[in-house]
Amino acid sequence: MNKIFGYPPTLTPRTTHYCPGCTHGVIHRMVGEVIDELGIRGRTVGIAPVGCSVLAYEYFNFDMFEASHGRAPAVATGAKRSRPNLIVFSYQGDGDLASIGMAEIVHAANRGEKITVVFVNNAIYGMTGGQMAPTTMPNQRTTTCPMGRDVNEVGYPVRMAELLAELRTPGFIARGSAHTVQETIRTKRYLKEAFEHQVAGRCFTFVEVLSTCPTNWGLSPREAANWLEREMIPYYPLGVKKRPDVQAAQEGA
Amino acid sequence: MPRIEIDKERCKGCERCNDACPQEILAMSEALNVKGYSYAVVTDPSRCVGCRLCAIACPDVAIEVYSAGTQYEFFAY
Amino acid sequence: MAKVLMKGNEAIGEAAIRAGCIHFFGYPITPQSEVPEYLARRLPEVGGQYVQAESEVAASNMIYGAAGVGMRVLTTSSSPGISLMAEGISYIAASELPVVLVNIMRAGPGLGGILPAQGDYFQATRGTGHGDFQLLVLAPASVQEAVNLVILAFELAEKYLNPVMVIGDGMIGQMMEPVEFPVEGVGPPLDPGDWALTGCEGRERRIVNSLFLDPEACNRHNLKLKAKYERMAENEQRWELYNCDEPYDLLVTAFGMMSRICKTAIDDLKAEGTNVGLFRPISLNPFPYEPCRRVIDRAQRILDVEMSMGQMIYDIQLAAQGRLEIDFHGTAGGVVPSPDEVADKIRESLARIGRSPARKPGKRSAKAAAAQKSKSKRSKKTATAQKPGKRGGKKPQNAGKRSAARQSSARRHGRRSGR
């Protein structure tokens, strides 16, 4: 009998503070697994955001930064530019990346920083207790849009993957989800490809992962997965939005 | 025969593994763990095929999967 | 080492390279943009990285990232930009990382103006960002001193694992002066200690972090930082005394370029037989209270002169502990007091303690007054950018009328005394 699934060495043995059914834990594990599979733990530096995953440095068992809210892509730029042999990735939520950190992520992508960004989109501010995020769905109730997001008042949710894919600078940009096992497996492939591009020093890489937030959505983990399937997937289509070689081929580079 | 081990103290009772199991042999315990959650249990170990879907779905890495002579590589999923 | 005529901003950039810093993350803002421009050319030559951030907010986090992986790093900005960096600097100080910041001050508040000012004294020494942290702040009064202090700043940043700010007003950045670089070529890279995130291969992993959710841990961290700031106060006070060896009744206090203008006024008065002392802090934080108190004790009165509405004066009051009256002369907005203006203020202060020196304008000040008058007439027509004159200060056009009137009265006075 050999163990064919268990704790990746890149995660610390700590139990996480995440709520039951929150898929941050799944995404953390997959990032850890990819780093193990690529054998890069010894030269990986991760950057934790401010948000539910602010404590990610407690869970990832390698060198970690704690960045200020929204600034992880800038911290990653500073680290990668000055020590290019490091594998640098930021792990951010939707409040951190798509709201206060929007300038940082757009410019890091546009400069083509050779970093990886893992963007967890759960359509809400988790850590601070369920406020509306830039990715909150139309009519979705949160503590700061109690009558539901009114798109006439605050506009439509932001589709980060598509927004970044529009940038001319080459990159690998994909969106996956962790609400079902099948999508989780597909997301892991995107994560692996993203880190592989960075190991090859090829381009900016970004993986958006739709994630459940049972506590702040006010749903059980099962209902949350169903809600994500029913509400978020149609609005946030999954798949690869941009690949460096494809783009190069198209433009005959 | 493949089997899984559930760390009942890590389990937060989210039941994601129950939905993920194709053999539908996972359920939640009557007893509570130290955190007060009812934890996942295998109702019929003999029907486990070692497909790892439960472990993949688990947000807390509370499930280890053991198998003999399986064609899967470690982690490759 | 041969002297080179260099613009202050470019000399600052070169000084960083000589100190072994080949990574720069910054953003354009007048009057310091020549630093990024210079380094954008120079850093590729030395295998370094020049990155223009999308904002000063981003730049302050990029230097956090670079310092966190154990590299020497510099950012420069000007007043509003430093305001945007406040949060980042607080994180850097709390995470105990070595970075060097340069603030080439401009007129404030708000968008203010692009001409020299000293209105960021509080921001630098007390209120840079949230929480109990301090910057080590060094204020040069010349381009050469700016070079020396930038090089020193890297040493101190690494000695204390703390951000160090070199703060100069617009003139320090914009004027050209001959400089000599004490170091040839590119300085050595930083040998990072066990705090740097260099990849955990073969060692325990490390964390660069300033989050302490446990109140006891956060309190302990604050006490640790405080002990560091006390060590800085003990070892890193720097100041200059000018003309204090002979007895004086009035002590002038000023820093940066303002102190050089005051020195010229003091020289003029000395030529007239009146001895006035000057105290110039080089380290604004830790402020040299004790040395300042020693020279205050030998004076009857103090005149504090700043290109602001009065900020360093609070530290002078702390040093004086109420022993002496402190007069203040301050201009903002880019109005740079001329030596004659300062000399008049000195005479007023001396008059308040019954020592009014003979009002014979010296040979130089009469000639300068005449030159001043012709210049101010010309500057009324064209709003020329502020070019510091030989005497380190020229009034921009809007103050021209007032100074012209004073000059003419001085000349009349001169004629009456038959010279």
Side-chain angles (χ1 to χ4, degrees), chain C residues 25 50 66 83 91 121 162 204 227 241 278 281 297-298 300 361 388 400 418:
Chain C
F25 303 85
Y50 166 81
S83 298
Y91 274 66
Y121 184 93
N162 203 69
E204 278 301 303
L241 300 185
L278 170 80
D297 285 349
R298 292 164 45 208
Q300 308 294 322

Side-chain angles (χ1 to χ4, degrees), chain C residues 260 264 364 367-368 375 387-394:
Chain C
R260 273 174 80 175
T264 306
R364 181 154 49 142
K367 190 179 65 184
K375 243 187 282 178
K387 274 201 315 314
K390 180 167 57 53
R391 293 270 295 274
K394 157 180 120 64

Side-chain angles (χ1 to χ4, degrees), chain A:
Chain A
M1 268 303 192
N2 43 38
K3 186 158 88 169
I4 61 169
F5 193 98
Y7 220 86
T10 44
L11 291 187
T12 61
R14 291 184 63 135
T15 55
T16 69
H17 70 289
Y18 298 119
C19 307
C22 164
T23 43
H24 261 306
V26 175
I27 301 164
H28 274 40
R29 191 198 66 240
M30 290 198 292
V31 169
E33 286 167 353
V34 164
I35 289 170
D36 276 336
E37 287 160 35
L38 298 176
I40 50 176
R41 174 179 174 273
R43 63 186 179 108
T44 295
V45 172
I47 294 147
V50 168
C52 280
S53 45
V54 64
L55 295 178
Y57 61 83
E58 299 282 2
Y59 308 130
F60 286 125
N61 186 18
F62 40 76
D63 281 1
M64 286 290 293
F65 272 101
E66 170 52 54
S68 49
H69 195 31
R71 316 307 174 193
V75 178
T77 300
K80 184 75 177 187
R81 287 286 187 128
S82 54
R83 217 178 261 280
N85 68 314
L86 290 176
I87 299 298
V88 179
F89 77 97
S90 76
Y91 185 103
Q92 299 175 257
D94 42 15
D96 188 271
L97 181 134
S99 192
I100 190 171
M102 178 65 89
E104 275 72 17
I105 187 63
V106 167
H107 284 282
N110 198 54
R111 286 192 304 267
E113 300 295 341
K114 307 288 188 291
I115 59 175
T116 299
V117 175
V118 180
F119 168 48
V120 178
N121 173 0
N122 59 7
I124 204 155
Y125 278 78
M127 163 69 77
T128 43
Q131 295 79 13
M132 178 176 70
T135 47
T136 294
M137 296 304 291
N139 307 317
Q140 177 184 349
R141 291 176 191 275
T142 73
T143 56
T144 50
C145 56
M147 280 74 74
R149 179 186 189 128
D150 179 348
V151 293
N152 304 316
E153 282 287 313
V154 296
Y156 285 81
V158 177
R159 286 192 269 249
M160 281 311 300
E162 285 77 2
L163 188 145
L164 295 178
E166 270 314 301
L167 297 171
R168 169 67 188 79
T169 308
F172 168 72
I173 293 171
R175 176 184 296 121
S177 176
H179 73 295
T180 64
V181 177
Q182 293 72 16
E183 290 307 336
T184 302
I185 292 169
R186 195 170 291 125
T187 298
K188 176 165 177 188
R189 290 199 191 105
Y190 298 147
L191 288 170
K192 191 162 188 184
E193 180 173 353
F195 277 92
E196 278 164 348
H197 282 305
Q198 180 171 173
V199 169
R202 191 165 296 124
C203 61
F204 172 78
T205 55
F206 177 91
V207 179
E208 175 175 350
V209 187
L210 303 183
S211 178
T212 57
C213 181
T215 300
N216 287 305
W217 292 356
L219 300 171
S220 75
R222 180 171 300 114
E223 289 159 349
N226 296 338
W227 186 82
L228 189 151
E229 174 93 22
R230 210 175 47 248
E231 291 289 327
M232 291 180 75
I233 299 287
Y235 190 84
Y236 296 109
L238 305 181
V240 175
K241 309 295 170 182
K242 184 177 182 176
R243 269 207 177 86
D245 42 9
V246 170
Q247 186 176 358
Q250 276 160 1
E251 281 144 0

